[in-house]
Amino acid sequence: MPSLRFAEEILLLLLDDKSGRFANVIESSLRCAIAGAVLMDLALENRIDTDPQQLVLVDAAPVGDDLLDPTLADIARAPETRDARYWVNRIAGDADRIREIALQRLVERGILHREDDRFLWVFRSRRYPVIDGEAEREVKLRIMEVLFSDVIPAPRDVVIIGLADSCGLFGVLLSRRELQRVAERIEQVRKLDLIGQAVIQTVAEIDLAISGAMRTII
């Protein structure tokens, strides 16, 4: 089976395999994490590169992946070079489309099954029970091994940990005591990924803007 894209792995981390429902995380943070996931896949495909000041197009040739190519085309059309935070914000607006494609691919691969709960013939909610739990277990075990040991993380795991942390996922996956135990390790791993740092900064800016708006209302 081809390796999963980062957006697909983030969704598997969010999924409760017993209920088939996704963890309740802040929507704006999840959107930013999905945006970062697409950028990281483009970086690994050698289509973009980034540093603290700018995100640069390296190769505009399509990857041949409908999860990534619309974003790549958007970057290629940009009249000027922007930093990673700009692109995280921009791609976050397309997160619903990216999420639906990622979910559909997980269904087509036989990893998940889509079920629509109905009431009086009206769709009320959607569940994604796990059919083949190997992929889900694999990504969760990889991440937990990195967090609870001093093993050198693989580049993919650095990315996933940064993205998962950006949308508050570890607060759902771990107990309060476990989270306190690995907080320093998470911070250590996060510093290895520039795009992940851009996602964290963007989420923080959104939270700050929301807090400011709430104070104004009150």
Side-chain angles (χ1 to χ4, degrees):
M1 179 184 293
S3 61
L4 299 178
R5 294 297 187 185
F6 287 120
E8 295 171 286
E9 291 198 317
I10 285 292
L11 291 173
L12 288 179
L13 279 174
L14 281 165
L15 189 67
D16 182 329
D17 55 359
K18 293 182 180 178
S19 68
R21 301 189 188 281
F22 293 98
N24 186 22
V25 298
I26 298 172
E27 180 67 17
S28 58
S29 299
L30 178 57
R31 286 174 173 272
C32 290
I34 288 174
V38 171
L39 288 175
M40 280 308 310
D41 269 316
L42 286 174
L44 290 183
E45 292 283 352
N46 297 314
R47 295 308 194 270
I48 62 171
D49 198 1
T50 187
D51 61 32
Q53 282 74 46
Q54 59 184 354
L55 184 147
V56 180
L57 178 69
V58 174
D59 183 355
V63 177
D65 187 327
D66 58 357
L67 205 60
L68 309 181
D69 284 339
T71 296
L72 178 61
D74 198 15
I75 294 171
R77 286 192 300 266
E80 58 183 303
T81 301
R82 302 278 193 161
D83 63 13
R85 275 187 293 175
Y86 169 86
W87 285 110
V88 168
N89 254 317
R90 184 176 178 92
I91 300 163
D94 197 29
D96 287 343
R97 179 195 67 84
I98 296 167
R99 179 165 38 189
E100 285 305 309
I101 291 174
L103 285 170
Q104 182 59 35
R105 283 160 53 149
L106 290 170
V107 170
E108 290 172 355
R109 290 183 183 207
I111 296 172
L112 302 182
H113 171 65
R114 182 166 58 199
E115 290 183 0
D116 293 301
D117 294 337
R118 295 170 181 260
F119 178 70
L120 297 179
W121 299 280
V122 177
F123 289 128
R124 297 179 65 196
S125 62
R126 181 167 287 172
R127 299 170 60 248
Y128 287 88
V130 175
I131 297 175
D132 180 356
E134 182 179 353
E136 183 201 17
R137 286 191 300 271
E138 192 270 339
V139 65
K140 288 181 177 178
L141 287 173
R142 267 175 35 220
I143 300 314
M144 293 306 158
E145 181 183 13
V146 172
L147 294 184
F148 288 94
S149 74
D150 58 0
V151 64
I152 298 174
R156 289 194 66 85
D157 298 336
V158 170
V159 172
I160 289 294
I161 287 170
L163 296 175
D165 187 50
S166 71
C167 62
L169 184 53
F170 290 126
V172 176
L173 293 177
L174 304 173
S175 68
R176 183 177 298 180
R177 179 177 295 181
E178 288 172 330
L179 191 56
Q180 290 174 342
R181 178 181 167 190
V182 299
E184 185 175 342
R185 175 66 163 166
I186 292 172
E187 181 67 21
Q188 179 188 59
V189 173
R190 268 177 34 190
K191 291 179 179 177
L192 300 174
D193 172 26
L194 289 175
I195 289 179
Q197 291 176 39
V199 173
I200 292 287
Q201 291 166 357
T202 305
V203 169
E205 289 168 2
I206 292 171
D207 290 345
L208 187 61
I210 292 172
S211 298
M214 290 300 294
R215 283 196 298 270
T216 301
I217 293 171
I218 294 172

